[in-house]
Amino acid sequence: MPLTEWRDTKETLHRYAQIVGKIRLAASARCNHWWNVPFHVTGRGITTRPMRQVDGNLIFTIDFDFVDHRLVIATLDGEERSFPLPGHSVASFYDATLAALAALGIHVQIALPRPFDLPDTGRPFVEDTEHATYDPVAANRYWRVLSQVATTLEEFAAGYSGKHSPIHHFWHTFDIAHSRFSGRQIDQPRQTDPVTREAYSREVISFGFWFGDDTFAEPAFYSYTAPEPTGLASEPLSPASAQWLARGDSHLAVLRYDAARGETDPRAAVLAFYESAYRAGAGRAGWDVTALACPGGITDPVLRL
């Protein structure tokens, strides 16, 4: 999925996702590490999951359908509004989304109706007529890749019995991720921004996949340990094509998507990559890997026999 072939669609879709994601942020109960905010993958696209504010709104969901290429807003009582995804700028998508919500009697106040941590973060969504590309073929391929990665991450996640995140798709960096926590609290500088403070309030090893951006212009699987233990980047990674990349004062384990696809068994290669990155981080940070193991998704030692 070369970034160059769908960059314009990705940039538009990313901002669509931020609009809907900010609605989810406003209309859901806050959860640790922002787990209330991301999307989850469905059989036709991605979903916010059911949500509502405490002000009397109906329970509702917002789904991106990447098969019929529509945004679908549905309420618990069976009412629904939808509109096509192609043909919209970010500005018109924003207007159409709010109009569809209003038609269902749903009123959500987005605190900051502009992009988060993107180059045009100072431009309100309602003024963005620049991003207006939606290629249905590329959008469908994005969802299909996302679905394959999600099921692979679910298989990997099953092997850990400690606190860990769902498999979720963040609209911030447009990646899909799974995180494992040791339970160790991390003290951060007081000037650290609130998003980062909550995301990294506990020692964590994260695993995921992103589609590429200006800082790394190709799709790749990744892992990192935060805070990074000494010597992490000296640990071996699997398969041989995986590598540690410097990222400021820390390191990112990376397996390029094309490299994984070139392996005899791509799924097994990705699982081996995640496992090697986990053992690198957990070993260097002193986690009890044996006690936290969950072979076959089973915690009871008797049932493992």
Side-chain angles (χ1 to χ4, degrees):
M1 187 141 187
L3 178 61
T4 54
E5 291 186 3
W6 77 301
R7 182 186 291 271
D8 290 345
T9 291
K10 177 183 176 289
E11 294 301 323
T12 301
L13 187 55
H14 193 168
R15 286 160 178 78
Y16 289 179
Q18 288 216 354
I19 291 167
V20 176
K22 289 195 171 202
I23 292 170
R24 169 74 192 179
L25 176 62
S28 62
R30 181 164 169 171
C31 185
N32 65 132
H33 311 297
W34 306 107
W35 292 353
N36 59 303
V37 174
F39 297 105
H40 287 199
V41 180
T42 73
R44 296 182 68 90
I46 55 176
T47 182
T48 59
R49 292 159 288 141
M51 55 185 167
R52 72 171 170 195
Q53 291 179 302
V54 294
D55 60 1
N57 270 335
L58 298 168
I59 294 176
F60 67 102
T61 61
I62 305 179
D63 287 22
F64 287 88
D65 182 338
F66 295 122
V67 178
D68 287 339
H69 302 286
R70 302 186 69 82
L71 188 79
V72 182
I73 305 174
T75 67
L76 194 64
D77 61 3
E79 293 295 314
E80 181 181 295
R81 295 291 186 277
S82 69
F83 60 85
L85 292 169
H88 280 286
S89 67
V90 169
S92 65
F93 176 89
Y94 179 78
D95 288 341
T97 301
L98 295 189
L101 287 169
L104 292 167
I106 299 166
H107 303 282
V108 178
Q109 184 67 42
I110 298 177
L112 297 170
R114 58 179 187 265
F116 176 69
D117 201 23
L118 290 176
D120 57 339
T121 189
R123 176 172 56 188
F125 292 125
V126 73
E127 296 178 8
D128 184 359
T129 58
E130 173 191 356
H131 298 100
T133 302
Y134 185 94
D135 176 357
V137 173
N140 181 267
R141 186 183 299 125
Y142 143 78
W143 161 68
R144 291 168 66 88
V145 171
L146 202 65
S147 298
Q148 292 184 66
V149 175
T151 56
T152 304
L153 277 170
E154 284 180 356
E155 185 174 353
F156 173 68
Y160 187 74
S161 66
K163 173 183 173 179
H164 63 86
S165 74
I167 311 303
H168 45 203
H169 183 27
F170 281 98
W171 46 264
H172 168 204
T173 48
F174 217 54
D175 63 327
I176 186 167
H178 158 66
S179 298
R180 295 177 172 182
F181 296 83
S182 69
R184 192 175 300 151
Q185 185 168 339
I186 302 301
D187 293 326
Q188 301 180 62
R190 293 198 63 85
Q191 66 269 25
T192 301
D193 69 89
V195 173
T196 302
R197 290 189 69 86
E198 180 58 35
Y200 298 107
S201 63
R202 300 292 186 273
E203 186 177 48
V204 62
I205 306 176
S206 281
F207 316 85
F209 173 85
W210 76 79
F211 292 89
D213 56 25
D214 289 338
T215 61
F216 193 93
E218 59 181 296
F221 302 90
Y222 70 83
S223 176
Y224 61 86
T225 301
E228 181 172 314
T230 302
L232 178 66
S234 66
E235 293 291 328
L237 293 171
S238 295
S241 55
Q243 61 186 137
W244 292 103
L245 296 180
R247 185 183 60 167
D249 296 330
S250 60
H251 295 85
L252 194 69
V254 171
L255 174 63
R256 288 169 168 80
Y257 183 58
D258 285 345
R261 293 178 71 234
E263 295 285 337
T264 302
D265 186 338
R267 177 186 140 278
V270 173
L271 289 171
F273 167 70
Y274 286 144
E275 184 64 23
S276 67
Y278 167 63
R279 289 188 174 272
R284 286 284 177 170
W287 295 21
D288 191 336
V289 174
T290 300
L292 292 168
C294 186
I298 301 170
T299 56
D300 191 313
V302 174
L303 294 178
R304 294 177 191 162
L305 300 177

